[in-house]
Amino acid sequence: MVICPFSGDQPYWARLMHSIGVAAEPLFERDLSVDRLSRAIEEVINNQELIEKADYIGSQVRLENGVEKAIQFIHSKIDI
């Protein structure tokens, strides 16, 4: 991921994604330039470690069956 946070909790999540190894360093508005954005995109395309980590985490998230769990939770709260 290339994340350009600009408000709210976005800086927190951008730093977290970078720290767990699935995103380039966050690009804050004050630091954003065509050159820095281009380098960040090249990094996420070519950095095998980032690619493998994102693929692994993605596979773990898909195992959670989150949509089905969300539906069950909602149904439990509205008594369907």
Side-chain angles (χ1 to χ4, degrees):
M1 289 185 278
V2 175
I3 305 172
C4 303
F6 59 91
S7 69
D9 62 348
Q10 293 173 358
Y12 168 79
W13 292 108
R15 287 185 186 104
L16 181 63
M17 295 300 99
H18 176 65
S19 73
I20 64 173
V22 297
E25 186 173 341
L27 290 175
F28 295 95
E29 184 177 1
R30 67 181 178 274
D31 304 319
L32 190 57
S33 68
V34 170
D35 184 57
R36 292 193 72 190
L37 180 59
S38 296
R39 283 186 280 148
I41 291 169
E42 286 180 17
E43 179 184 359
V44 298
I45 290 172
N46 297 313
N47 183 323
Q48 196 60 37
E49 192 173 322
L50 280 175
I51 293 166
E52 289 173 4
K53 186 77 153 225
D55 185 52
Y56 172 75
I57 291 175
S59 70
Q60 296 303 299
V61 169
R62 285 186 293 279
L63 290 175
E64 292 177 356
N65 197 12
V67 173
E68 180 63 31
K69 288 181 181 178
I71 290 169
Q72 290 172 357
F73 174 80
I74 293 167
H75 284 181
S76 76
K77 298 301 177 190
I78 59 176
D79 297 321
I80 291 182

